Amino acid sequence: MGCGMGKSELQAALLIQRWYRQYVARLEMRRRCTWNIFQSIEYAGEQDQIKLYNFFGFLMDHFTPARNLISHIFRENEICRDIEWERYFCYKSIEVPESYTGPHLTFPMTFCGVSKLMEAFKHKQQLHARYVLQILGETWRLLRILPNINYVSVCHNQEITICGDLHGHLEDLLLIFYKNGLPSSEKPYVFNGDFVDRGKNSLEILLILFGFLLVYPNDVHLNRGNHEDHIVNLRYGFTKEILGKYRVHGKKILKLLQKIFSWLPLATVIDHKVLIVHGGISDMTDLNVIERVDRHRVREACWLGLITILSNVRILTSYDWFDGLVNSTDISIQIVDLLWSDPMPQNGCIPNEVRGGGCYWGPDVTEEVLERHNLQLLIRSHECKQDGYEFCHNRRVLTIFSASNYYEVGSNRGAYIRMGPDLVPHFIQYQASRTCRELTLTQSVGWTERSALRALREQLFVHKSDLISAFQEFDPNNTGMISLRHWASATETVLNLGLPWRMLRPQLVNSTKYGMVDYQQWIRELSITEPKLEISDTSILETMYKNHSNLETIFRIIDTDHSGSISFEEFRQTWKLLSSHLQTEISDEAIADLAQSIDFNKDGSIDINEFMEAFRLVDLSDVYFYLCSKFRPLVTLLHEGT
Amino acid sequence: MAESNNQSAETKLSDVHKRIKAAFETFDNAANNTVDVREIGTIIYSLGCFPSQADLHDFIAEVEEDHSGYIHLDRFLPAMTKVLLEHKFPPIPKDLLLQAFEVLDKDNKGYLEPEELTKYMTQEGEPFTQEEMEEMLTGLADHERNVIYYKDVINQLAIDPDM
């Protein structure tokens, strides 16, 4: 019983509870019905249309809520001012409880903040609703000032990375970042829509992408996809994901996302030559028109598709709202085309009935539209491709798709594009594999070290003859021996990897006498110990660790006693050393902070796995390449210091 | 006379069956005529019934297959039919509901403070979880004043289950 409450209060409470629970259940039923409706819609074909008709008919007959439900789906959005919405979406009243173990964010968003977020998501943590709303709020504010079309140029010596559909596959996004490096001013990215639905980490992907957008607004470009649409989300999983993860604030989050989606830019153009858009084009596509449109007011593209199908279902024609919806402007249709269309081999332009929106466009339309806009290439996504990418229309249209194993494990590879100022696309393919991922996470020191060394030795072996020539230059008397200093210098000259070879020497060279290397012997040993290349398929392990060798090298540099872990003190000393040569001041606090943030299990030391993880997060291009580019002076200085 | 009565009874029965099946199917994800037991409450509510939690527990005990966590249509249909035909968990009349709120609104303010409602909903009767409570407050509280104008809420929720 409660605190001394009377019988009448008890009865009253019981009654109200019963009443309210019924109300909530009716809502849930609605949600489920909506779900089922769109599930039915997905499949074209006469049989399904009849099924849909029957289902609708039955609903109308037997569920009075259904009538309201249907009219609710198609009702015009309430016209509220942004200020009122801002108040509604305000995160400030949401408290983060003491018990919350997920990441805490501070604003303005920083690179470290996004890294923290990625780390948390890798460990399957969930971001608190307060922070979610905060990030989304900032994103919304930013998106509102972006134009419909992003015009981007690729700087000299830079490459831009273009990714396709991700569909909630967090492992693919992390894989791309691992292989390609994190977004930054030196590493611009275009994400071509469909970040959500189907996969189970749609929100995590969005938060990461939005995080990077906030940190690097000039270098990260997001295009809207057809799945950035709250009605599509109802059916394809994103709505369910949010409501499942955020039972209390899910609706608010969804509402804010709805706004954000409507404000996502529609296209990106690179150097006025390459058009990137999620779906494609039609014979009506006119970028000048699209530039000027109020993109956030465009009616949900999916509704138009739904209407197409429902228009065959006569029971709906009696509703007033139906006519209102059909009277869409040409501009709305143009935008729907951008997000929903697919290329076809034949000439022409016909409505895309399978999708229920957009069109199928032919090579003649490609030529005409590209020429009219003085463009040379159209990059789009929207369709899953076996190899992650595919050309069509005389290589004037390129489909890029970044969600590997989209249909099921092993179904397809994902890919992304790297493109320099020459605007020639280069493809990197991959396939995320669950087993492999588990392996990497629990990688033992021995394994990493072995594979890293293997990779390095492979490199050395490949450059055998060049190395010998370089060594011989330091050995004019043909003694067969050179000093360590010369060995390091020659190796660097040949391999050009920017590695501190002197430090690596103990791992690579066994035969040294009195500070001299018997280089002929060493080369011979290389040949003997050169491991057989493991024959594996496109197994992620092999690829990852081949590329990983240099990273592991840095770790070993720091792990001077080869314990497999480094203490804070070792870490601190090494960084201090580096910083004094890198011409940048890294304060003790900064080093301590860095060390602590990498020490995930908080045991006061950093083991190799943690370090690897840290480097995966702390952008390779920001830290590693930076360090490597500075290693040359470091190497030189060390040589001089001997 | 008797015949037409029988016919209408039959039609009525068949209608009831159809309704029950439609509601059931909505949650039958695997299309194998079973639903998760946790969805049964929603299904029963959506058919216009207002059982208490205790009622639900009793019902589930009757129809669940040995604590498997699933309920088969074979057992649900007859049990639910009985419920509907006998009007076992009738809806709550609006005036009764209003009275209930008025009992809780001791100062006769015409509204309830969130804390007041929370106290009753989470400590009395068949208590709400914290989540349920938060959702209720978010859904029912007036945005500006942050109080629950229960009269309005009753009317609003009766017509259109929209937030």
Side-chain angles (χ1 to χ4, degrees):
Chain A
M1 265 289 233
C3 10
M5 294 182 191
K7 187 169 180 225
S8 57
E9 275 100 347
L10 172 60
Q11 300 288 22
L14 275 168
L15 203 72
I16 294 170
Q17 285 157 347
R18 198 152 50 97
W19 163 77
Y20 186 75
R21 282 181 168 125
Q22 202 265 4
Y23 164 68
V24 167
R26 269 158 48 212
L27 274 178
E28 175 57 32
M29 181 57 102
R30 271 187 59 185
R31 268 202 282 266
R32 217 46 106 83
C33 284
T34 314
W35 187 273
N36 292 348
I37 287 170
F38 287 102
Q39 200 147 29
S40 315
I41 288 171
E42 201 195 16
Y43 309 108
E46 207 180 22
Q47 204 167 19
D48 289 294
Q49 265 184 332
I50 292 169
K51 232 167 76 174
L52 176 64
Y53 177 86
N54 289 337
F55 179 58
F56 254 102
F58 183 78
L59 266 190
M60 301 293 273
D61 292 340
H62 291 91
F63 282 97
T64 11
R67 288 207 179 86
N68 291 330
L69 166 66
I70 292 163
S71 63
H72 171 71
I73 295 172
F74 296 107
R75 193 177 60 210
E76 188 73 59
N77 266 331
E78 318 82 8
I79 298 168
C80 269
R81 288 174 308 143
D82 281 349
I83 295 177
E84 286 156 50
W85 283 119
E86 296 237 11
R87 240 185 311 165
Y88 173 61
F89 295 132
C90 189
Y91 61 90
K92 294 191 180 135
S93 57
I94 303 174
E95 277 190 11
V96 180
E98 290 278 303
S99 53
Y100 171 70
T101 53
H104 292 272
L105 298 179
T106 54
F107 286 78
M109 203 64 189
T110 60
F111 178 81
C112 283
V114 190
S115 300
K116 217 194 312 191
L117 209 54
M118 282 175 59
E119 175 62 22
F121 292 155
K122 283 189 86 177
H123 287 85
K124 307 214 188 304
Q125 288 174 337
Q126 186 168 303
L127 186 65
H128 194 273
R130 178 197 172 96
Y131 298 125
V132 174
L133 285 168
Q134 223 176 334
I135 292 187
L136 295 184
E138 292 301 313
T139 305
W140 184 33
R141 271 182 275 283
L142 172 60
L143 289 176
R144 277 183 287 186
I145 60 176
L146 291 181
N148 296 343
I149 302 179
N150 290 312
Y151 287 95
V152 176
S153 22
V154 188
C155 301
H156 184 55
N157 272 350
Q158 241 185 36
E159 284 187 319
I160 190 164
T161 307
I162 302 156
C163 299
D165 293 25
L166 288 166
H167 281 301
H169 288 211
L170 182 61
E171 61 271 17
D172 285 314
L173 181 62
L174 294 176
L175 192 46
I176 293 171
F177 284 159
Y178 172 72
K179 291 173 81 71
N180 195 52
L182 295 173
S184 68
S185 353
E186 280 78 51
K187 200 172 285 272
Y189 270 81
V190 179
F191 292 95
N192 200 15
D194 277 14
F195 321 118
V196 303
D197 283 334
R198 300 190 197 272
K200 54 186 173 61
N201 293 111
S202 299
L203 180 65
E204 284 72 33
I205 287 191
L206 278 186
L207 293 174
I208 292 172
L209 294 183
F210 290 157
F212 279 118
L213 176 69
L214 291 171
V215 179
Y216 301 109
N218 298 316
D219 308 291
V220 174
H221 310 281
L222 305 179
N223 287 345
R224 188 177 184 182
N226 64 307
H227 277 260
E228 277 66 69
D229 178 320
H230 75 284
I231 292 188
V232 175
N233 298 150
L234 280 170
R235 180 270 178 263
Y236 283 96
F238 186 42
T239 307
K240 188 179 186 185
E241 183 187 318
I242 299 285
L243 294 172
K245 287 177 177 172
Y246 296 93
R247 286 181 187 272
V248 179
H249 298 106
K251 288 185 290 289
K252 206 176 262 196
I253 291 172
L254 281 173
K255 196 72 193 170
L256 182 45
L257 280 166
Q258 191 183 329
K259 301 225 160 274
I260 285 175
F261 286 165
S262 73
W263 274 104
L264 283 170
L266 300 168
T268 300
V269 176
I270 299 182
D271 288 349
H272 297 281
K273 285 281 163 217
V274 178
L275 171 63
I276 307 175
V277 84
H278 175 74
I281 53 175
S282 72
D283 50 5
M284 279 169 61
T285 300
D286 183 350
L287 294 182
N288 297 317
V289 169
I290 288 165
E291 262 172 35
R292 295 195 299 268
V293 120
D294 271 358
R295 67 180 184 273
H296 68 291
R297 289 200 193 287
V298 168
R299 206 171 307 255
E300 305 288 356
C302 181
W303 294 7
L304 295 176
L306 179 58
I307 291 160
T308 318
I309 295 169
L310 291 179
S311 59
N312 292 326
V313 182
R314 297 213 195 107
I315 50 167
L316 290 171
T317 53
S318 56
Y319 290 84
D320 296 338
W321 44 261
F322 186 73
D323 292 316
L325 281 167
V326 175
N327 290 329
S328 293
T329 62
D330 285 348
I331 290 174
S332 275
I333 290 176
Q334 257 203 63
I335 289 172
V336 173
D337 287 344
L338 289 183
L339 268 42
W340 288 76
S341 301
D342 294 311
M344 65 173 176
Q346 311 91 335
N347 281 338
C349 194
I350 56 176
N352 190 331
E353 267 157 17
V354 172
R355 304 258 195 194
C359 67
Y360 286 118
W361 87 91
D364 57 336
V365 176
T366 298
E367 282 310 311
E368 194 274 318
V369 170
L370 287 184
E371 213 177 276
R372 183 157 33 94
H373 293 95
N374 208 14
L375 299 162
Q376 72 189 38
L377 176 65
L378 167 63
I379 298 179
R380 43 90 66 174
S381 303
H382 199 40
E383 287 184 300
C384 179
K385 297 293 177 191
Q386 179 101 8
D387 293 313
Y389 73 96
E390 192 176 273
F391 277 106
C392 69
H393 292 190
N394 302 320
R395 296 181 77 88
R396 298 274 265 169
V397 174
L398 170 57
T399 303
I400 183 75
F401 196 84
S402 300
S404 68
N405 304 321
Y406 182 60
Y407 295 118
E408 57 169 332
V409 177
S411 68
N412 66 290
R413 289 195 279 181
Y416 59 91
I417 300 169
R418 299 259 318 192
M419 187 180 274
D422 59 355
L423 302 180
V424 173
H426 301 277
F427 307 97
I428 296 92
Q429 296 161 299
Y430 53 85
Q431 196 153 12
S433 165
R434 212 168 300 254
T435 43
C436 291
R437 206 124 274 274
E438 271 155 24
L439 251 171
T440 41
L441 291 176
T442 57
Q443 217 32 250
S444 70
V445 176
W447 202 100
T448 19
E449 201 170 79
R450 273 196 302 277
S451 73
L453 283 171
R454 191 203 312 147
L456 259 182
R457 285 201 205 98
E458 271 166 33
Q459 288 292 309
L460 294 166
F461 180 71
V462 159
H463 291 94
K464 230 180 2 175
S465 12
D466 288 354
L467 281 169
I468 289 179
S469 308
F471 294 150
Q472 276 168 343
E473 276 188 40
F474 286 107
D475 180 23
N477 298 331
N478 242 335
T479 60
M481 307 282 274
I482 52 171
S483 71
L484 278 174
R485 196 200 327 168
H486 288 154
W487 173 85
S489 169
T491 307
E492 175 49 31
T493 311
V494 171
L495 258 65
N496 210 18
L497 283 172
L499 290 173
W501 295 100
R502 282 214 71 191
M503 289 187 181
L504 293 171
R505 200 268 318 149
Q507 326 281 1
L508 296 168
V509 184
N510 293 326
S511 43
T512 58
K513 272 185 219 155
Y514 318 112
M516 303 289 277
V517 179
D518 181 343
Y519 62 90
Q520 297 281 13
Q521 168 130 14
W522 180 62
I523 295 284
R524 275 197 300 274
E525 273 169 15
L526 266 184
S527 311
I528 293 167
T529 60
E530 192 254 0
K532 299 202 184 1
L533 282 171
E534 267 170 27
I535 299 157
S536 57
D537 55 1
T538 42
S539 146
I540 194 68
L541 277 170
E542 187 84 356
T543 325
M544 277 174 72
Y545 281 95
K546 268 188 179 155
N547 293 328
H548 234 138
S549 62
N550 291 335
L551 255 190
E552 291 163 6
T553 302
I554 294 175
F555 177 89
R556 276 195 305 285
I557 294 165
I558 300 175
D559 177 22
T560 45
D561 60 349
H562 304 290
S563 60
S565 70
I566 52 178
S567 68
F568 278 13
E569 189 51 36
E570 285 178 59
F571 188 90
R572 194 191 70 83
Q573 274 175 14
T574 314
W575 273 91
K576 265 232 106 83
L577 171 70
L578 289 175
S579 74
S580 68
H581 295 302
L582 294 177
Q583 291 157 356
T584 45
E585 275 307 300
I586 300 177
S587 70
D588 271 9
E589 281 126 51
I591 296 174
D593 277 351
L594 188 59
Q596 265 174 340
S597 63
I598 294 173
D599 176 24
F600 300 124
N601 62 1
K602 304 291 167 233
D603 65 351
S605 74
I606 299 168
D607 77 18
I608 190 165
N609 284 332
E610 288 175 340
F611 189 91
M612 303 306 274
E613 292 302 306
F615 265 94
R616 251 193 278 279
L617 300 175
V618 182
D619 181 15
L620 288 181
S621 65
D622 274 1
V623 177
Y624 171 58
F625 292 125
Y626 176 68
L627 283 177
C628 275
S629 69
K630 302 300 177 185
F631 268 144
R632 262 166 262 258
L634 174 60
V635 168
T636 324
L637 276 157
L638 287 168
H639 294 166
E640 275 156 25
T642 319
Chain B
M1 233 357 147
E3 214 180 86
S4 65
N5 271 349
N6 278 343
Q7 244 180 4
S8 67
E10 251 175 55
T11 324
K12 191 180 180 196
L13 187 65
S14 132
D15 269 1
V16 165
H17 281 173
K18 273 197 204 150
R19 279 181 65 201
I20 294 172
K21 280 186 191 161
F24 192 89
E25 260 161 25
T26 308
F27 291 91
D28 176 17
N29 297 324
N32 59 359
N33 284 336
T34 55
V35 303
D36 189 320
V37 67
R38 288 167 292 185
E39 316 271 29
I40 282 295
T42 309
I43 297 173
I44 296 175
Y45 282 128
S46 75
L47 288 165
C49 302
F50 285 72
S52 66
Q53 299 292 86
D55 294 332
L56 276 179
H57 288 146
D58 291 341
F59 183 96
I60 289 171
E62 261 187 53
V63 299
E64 195 188 1
E65 320 246 274
D66 322 305
H67 306 289
S68 62
Y70 289 100
I71 292 182
H72 202 279
L73 182 61
D74 289 348
R75 294 173 79 161
F76 182 75
L77 188 62
M80 196 63 219
T81 306
K82 193 158 180 253
V83 162
L84 287 180
L85 291 178
E86 290 175 13
H87 304 286
K88 240 181 159 188
F89 309 123
I92 300 168
K94 257 209 261 183
D95 51 352
L96 222 61
L97 193 56
L98 185 59
Q99 263 178 48
F101 274 107
E102 280 166 356
V103 164
L104 302 184
D105 176 18
K106 295 213 173 298
D107 303 325
N108 267 326
K109 306 186 292 294
Y111 60 84
L112 283 174
E113 301 277 349
E115 302 79 42
E116 277 181 275
L117 188 60
T118 302
K119 182 179 70 177
Y120 289 114
M121 293 294 102
T122 57
Q123 289 174 19
E124 288 285 315
E126 295 177 326
F128 279 176
T129 62
Q130 199 192 343
E131 256 175 39
E132 279 176 299
M133 196 61 232
E134 277 174 37
E135 216 156 40
M136 186 185 203
L137 291 177
T138 320
L140 302 191
D142 177 80
H143 281 310
E144 280 166 36
R145 301 281 192 77
N146 201 31
V147 294
I148 297 103
Y149 291 104
Y150 48 85
K151 233 189 198 160
D152 297 336
V153 161
I154 291 171
N155 289 325
Q156 190 192 322
L157 263 48
I159 298 169
D160 183 18
D162 193 12
M163 295 269 208

